[in-house]
């Protein structure tokens, strides 16, 4: 499977992401944000930062030349994954609903955090059990996901909520203020996925968890 990982000025997880998909046996390549064409089965907008984040996360990145190729890939039915800053980009592009606010404590958070699988009726989480507890790192300053009541109801009706923040026992533990403790969502077609946690940082037990590998494996099978 061909995986293209988009690199922006400030991205700092592209090599981690490539390593994760290399472990899974994928043909991976890192694409500079000024490229105008992408040839891949899966496109990943990796985590980190992007130029212009000081205005609003991904506010400038969405105008990069590569973004038209990203949009075309999605329109043509390709799979698309946005991790952390990449999730923020998908929201800015309107490929996923909602928006991001600053964390409620106004501080950058970087630590392992537990997640509950809200839905596995999608390619991304097909190897996870519903209500399974995963241990995945988070690292963000603007991960407070917001969507209005109508939008939230639509997410629920279409089974688009993928992950919720929780403690090790599965009880809600919200680190950033996200609406209903949402950590990840998908679009209605279940081909576009966005999450704030970093599965690529949890792909080997030596790192503390390999739960992220189980998540990413779903996208290539």
């Amino acid at each position: 499977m061909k995986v293209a990982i988009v690199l922006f000025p400030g991205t700092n997880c592209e090599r981690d992401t490539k390593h994760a998909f290399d472990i899974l046996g994928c043909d991976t390549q890192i694409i500079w944000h000024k490229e105008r064409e992408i040839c891949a089965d899966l496109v990943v907008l990796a985590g980190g930062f992007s130029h212009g984040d000081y205005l609003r996360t991904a506010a400038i990145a969405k105008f990069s030349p590569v973004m038209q190729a990203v949009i075309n890939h999605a329109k043509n039915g390709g799979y698309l994954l946005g991790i952390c800053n990449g999730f923020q980009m998908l929201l800015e592009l309107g490929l996923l609903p909602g928006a991001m606010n600053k964390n409620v404590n106004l501080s950058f958070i970087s630590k392992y955090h537990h997640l509950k699988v809200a839905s596995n009726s999608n390619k991304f989480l097909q190897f996870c059990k519903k209500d399974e507890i995963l241990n995945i790192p988070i690292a963000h300053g603007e991960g407070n996901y917001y969507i209005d009541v109508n939008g939230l109801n639509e997410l629920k009706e279409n089974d688009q909520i993928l992950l919720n923040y929780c403690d090790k026992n599965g009880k809600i533990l919200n680190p950033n203020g996200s609406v209903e403790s949402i950590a990840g969502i998908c679009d209605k077609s279940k081909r576009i996925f966005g999450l704030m946690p970093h599965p690529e940082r949890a792909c080997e037990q030596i790192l503390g968890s390999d739960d992220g590998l189980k998540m990413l494996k779903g996208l290539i099978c």
Side-chain angles (χ1 to χ4, degrees):
M1 184 176 190
K2 290 186 177 181
V3 179
I5 302 159
V6 184
L7 173 64
F8 294 83
T11 302
N12 59 27
C13 295
E14 77 282 0
R15 293 184 181 275
D16 308 61
T17 304
K18 185 179 188 305
H19 178 67
F21 283 104
D22 285 344
I23 291 175
L24 292 168
C26 297
D27 176 7
T28 61
Q29 58 178 327
I30 295 174
I31 304 293
W32 184 234
H33 76 112
K34 290 191 177 181
E35 296 292 330
R36 296 182 181 273
E37 294 184 6
I38 297 178
C39 181
D41 303 299
L42 169 68
V43 174
V44 182
L45 301 176
F49 301 91
S50 56
H51 57 308
D53 275 354
Y54 60 90
L55 295 174
R56 187 177 69 252
T57 50
I60 299 300
K62 70 178 178 181
F63 295 113
S64 288
V66 77
M67 284 308 194
Q68 189 55 56
V70 170
I71 292 170
N72 291 340
H73 177 79
K75 286 182 177 179
N76 291 331
Y79 284 93
L80 183 55
L81 173 66
I83 302 171
C84 197
N85 192 238
F87 183 15
Q88 294 162 343
M89 291 180 195
L90 294 177
L91 296 174
E92 281 288 325
L93 288 169
L95 293 177
L96 288 176
M100 285 293 175
N101 290 318
K102 293 183 182 298
N103 297 342
V104 288
N105 62 6
L106 302 181
S107 297
F108 188 87
I109 303 170
S110 181
K111 62 179 181 178
Y112 267 89
H113 201 288
H114 291 93
L115 308 171
K116 179 184 283 189
V117 177
S119 174
N120 63 352
S121 62
N122 57 81
K123 189 173 178 67
F124 182 33
L125 300 179
Q126 63 175 308
F127 293 116
C128 300
K129 297 178 182 178
K130 191 177 185 307
D131 295 328
E132 181 177 354
I133 308 302
L134 306 172
N135 192 22
I136 304 289
I138 58 174
H140 55 254
E142 295 185 34
N144 180 357
Y145 178 72
Y146 173 78
I147 192 167
D148 63 22
V149 174
N150 291 335
L152 179 62
N153 288 336
E154 192 169 350
L155 287 180
K156 292 178 178 178
E157 289 170 5
N158 295 308
D159 197 26
Q160 291 175 249
I161 299 175
L162 303 178
L163 299 159
N164 298 100
Y165 297 108
C166 66
D167 64 15
K168 65 180 181 180
N169 298 312
K171 295 183 179 179
I172 290 177
L173 181 61
N174 193 331
N176 51 34
S178 292
V179 169
E180 296 208 5
S181 201
I182 291 174
I185 62 172
C186 64
D187 71 329
K188 291 179 181 179
S189 74
K190 299 187 179 181
R191 288 179 174 270
I192 302 174
F193 305 93
L195 73 163
M196 287 309 297
H198 288 265
E200 79 284 359
R201 296 185 184 181
C203 287
E204 296 174 281
Q205 279 294 345
I206 195 172
L207 301 176
S209 171
D210 61 0
D211 288 346
L213 206 62
K214 182 189 297 186
M215 300 168 77
L216 297 177
K217 181 181 178 182
L219 290 170
I220 66 167
C221 294

